[in-house]
Amino acid sequence: MVHNGEGPGAAASRLTGRAAARERPLSGSLSEVALDGGPVVVVKRADAPGAVAAEVAGLRWLAAADTVRLPAVRGHDTRWLVLDRVPAGRPGPEAAVRFGRALARLHAAGAPAFGSPPPGGPEDAYIGLAPLRNVPGADWPAWYAEHRVLPYLRRAADDGTLDRDEAGVLDRVCERLPRLAGPAEPPARLHGDLWHGNVLWGTDGHVRLIDPAAHGGHRETDLAMLQLFGCPHLERVLDGYRAATPLADGWRDRVGLHQLFPLLVHAVLFGRGYAEQALAVARRILAP
């Protein structure tokens, strides 16, 4: 049921059964609410159809692997999501190594197929504010081109963010994906939107992940997105990861290939600057 005009405090109270003592807005869609006699929670409003269902399914699927930590879901409906607040700590090298090891174990928990949604999650989900279709496929290069690169490339071209010649450069990368993709890997259990803003460093020395766009994919995609916008102690994260599960030869050479997807998503959402970054990456990939 949609409760029109309801604010985050009232939503938190209704969904948890505890009165809201006070609330503090964090952004346009995010608030912090102290529950009477209970914990402090984060209340998130999502107006896009199916967005809360997709996020809850993703959080639960990732948590089921019992590897990387995630905030507990306290309650939700079609519009509101109530999560435990993560007390913010400082990034540290030991926490980074622990995170890398846990992320490797999360990926190793696997998925039924590339593109498979979390159990109970909708096929039509979101990455940030952009639509994300989770359509299963058996072959990673073909699936990545069809469902992760081309939809956003076509949208950017239709919007005029990329011209026809520029779109052709990215098309050529898709055509060469079978030769560029590296050794075949089984589907990994991905967070799916692993930029550093979704990595919270807790006061207890452990990382929590938030805002997943979870699906079955290639594990190098999560790692490439982690590198795209920077991450504290990144090399220590990667050290921990590789100590738990080695990466295939040539993985550093494929980082740009995996970054094309988030760069094109950003081009659709935020415009020309990200389109130019995607083009620069594509041209490097195609360079002899």
Side-chain angles (χ1 to χ4, degrees), residues 12-262:
S13 179
R14 175 173 55 81
L15 292 168
T16 64
R18 292 177 179 267
R22 64 184 184 276
E23 62 182 79
R24 179 170 69 95
L26 302 175
S27 69
S29 61
L30 210 63
S31 295
E32 187 178 274
V33 175
L35 299 176
D36 189 19
V40 177
V41 294
V42 170
V43 182
K44 183 176 182 179
R45 189 189 76 242
D47 297 323
V52 172
E55 184 165 348
V56 169
L59 287 165
R60 289 178 171 164
W61 188 49
L62 298 179
D66 196 23
T67 56
V68 177
R69 301 184 183 202
L70 297 106
V73 176
R74 292 277 176 169
H76 67 94
D77 60 14
T78 58
R79 189 184 185 203
W80 295 99
L81 172 61
V82 182
L83 301 166
D84 278 349
R85 184 191 63 168
V86 178
R90 293 179 62 85
E94 293 181 359
V97 171
R98 280 194 293 269
F99 170 43
R101 289 175 177 153
L103 183 62
R105 294 195 299 272
L106 173 66
H107 289 165
F114 298 111
S116 59
E123 182 177 285
D124 291 308
Y126 298 87
I127 178 165
L129 297 175
L132 179 78
R133 291 205 74 214
N134 287 320
V135 180
D139 174 69
W140 184 79
W143 171 84
Y144 183 66
E146 182 177 357
H147 298 294
R148 290 298 180 265
V149 177
L150 291 175
Y152 306 99
L153 172 57
R154 299 290 175 251
R155 171 74 178 273
D158 289 346
D159 291 346
T161 309
L162 288 165
D163 67 31
R164 182 161 52 179
D165 289 342
E166 291 169 337
V169 174
L170 288 145
D171 271 325
R172 288 196 292 278
V173 174
C174 289
E175 291 166 4
R176 297 184 192 181
L177 262 167
R179 299 194 299 277
L180 297 168
E185 297 224 357
R189 189 171 304 196
L190 297 192
H191 176 278
D193 191 9
L194 198 59
W195 72 289
H196 74 84
N198 289 338
V199 178
L200 303 185
W201 302 79
T203 54
D204 60 358
H206 291 278
V207 161
R208 269 77 167 177
L209 299 183
I210 60 170
D211 294 349
H215 62 278
H218 197 301
R219 61 194 180 125
E220 291 177 13
T221 302
D222 260 0
L223 295 177
M225 196 176 294
L226 197 63
Q227 296 172 73
L228 182 57
F229 301 114
C231 174
H233 304 288
L234 175 61
E235 286 304 318
R236 298 302 300 274
V237 174
L238 295 171
D239 287 345
Y241 190 103
R242 289 176 292 177
T245 308
L247 289 162
D249 288 347
W251 69 272
R252 286 192 188 270
D253 297 330
R254 293 187 292 273
V255 168
L257 184 69
H258 290 269
Q259 288 177 345
L260 286 179
F261 160 50

